[in-house]
Amino acid sequence: MRVISLSVDNWSGNRNREEETNEPTWEQVERAFRSLDARRHTMLTLEADEEDNGLIVGGGGGLYVVTVHRYPEIFTLMLAETDDGETVRLTTGGQERIFPKNLCVGTAQALLAMRRYFETCELEPSMRWIAEQAAQLT
């Protein structure tokens, strides 16, 4: 499996003009990640060549939510194993949402998870991930 495309949202008011790059290099992926500012650019997606597999990073300004989709499971990167009930407001996909603080990671953690996924389409094994089942469409 390999990454075949990179997408980054590009908001102007309430309109999104998604920017897509086919067969991205790591330099393009890292540059797109560093453009995430939780205002104009709020979400980055890496799509793998196998259907229903990809990585999504949302947020910006040093705080991110990282998920990997490998149907039928979704894995979310965790900063800490326990949830102390604290929450964080973070804009992803152009909308402000409230996330548990333990699901929000810093720049270094997000880059490490992204680099591993970019190179292998796998989860970074040194990190904590929480798995959940994707909703079944009926």
Side-chain angles (χ1 to χ4, degrees):
M1 215 174 1
R2 64 188 176 84
V3 170
I4 59 170
S5 73
L6 160 69
S7 300
V8 181
D9 62 357
N10 184 359
W11 292 94
S12 178
N14 64 353
R15 293 186 182 234
N16 178 26
R17 288 188 344 255
E18 193 166 276
E19 301 167 356
E20 187 169 333
T21 304
N22 292 318
E23 305 291 335
T25 64
W26 171 249
E27 290 75 21
Q28 290 171 310
V29 171
E30 186 174 1
R31 188 173 30 246
F33 170 76
R34 294 195 185 279
S35 78
L36 295 178
D37 60 8
R39 290 184 310 277
R40 184 173 179 181
H41 301 290
T42 67
M43 190 166 64
L44 169 154
T45 304
L46 297 178
E47 182 183 340
D49 61 354
E50 190 171 306
E51 189 174 350
D52 295 324
N53 281 271
L55 173 138
I56 298 172
V57 178
L63 203 55
Y64 309 92
V65 174
V66 179
T67 59
V68 172
H69 297 246
R70 292 192 324 204
Y71 190 80
E73 292 181 299
I74 299 170
F75 298 88
T76 304
L77 185 57
M78 295 179 67
L79 183 60
E81 189 103 15
T82 59
D83 180 7
D84 61 8
E86 288 188 61
T87 59
V88 174
R89 289 184 183 274
L90 194 60
T91 301
T92 64
Q95 296 182 359
E96 185 177 75
R97 297 183 176 123
I98 298 173
F99 291 93
K101 187 176 179 180
N102 71 328
L103 298 183
C104 299
V105 300
T107 301
Q109 296 96 342
L111 277 169
L112 179 61
M114 286 175 44
R115 182 70 186 235
R116 174 67 178 210
Y117 189 85
F118 179 79
E119 292 175 350
T120 67
C121 291
E122 296 292 331
L123 303 175
E124 170 54 49
S126 68
M127 303 178 114
R128 292 185 180 114
W129 299 87
I130 185 169
E132 60 183 292
Q133 291 292 324
Q136 299 279 337
L137 297 176
T138 57

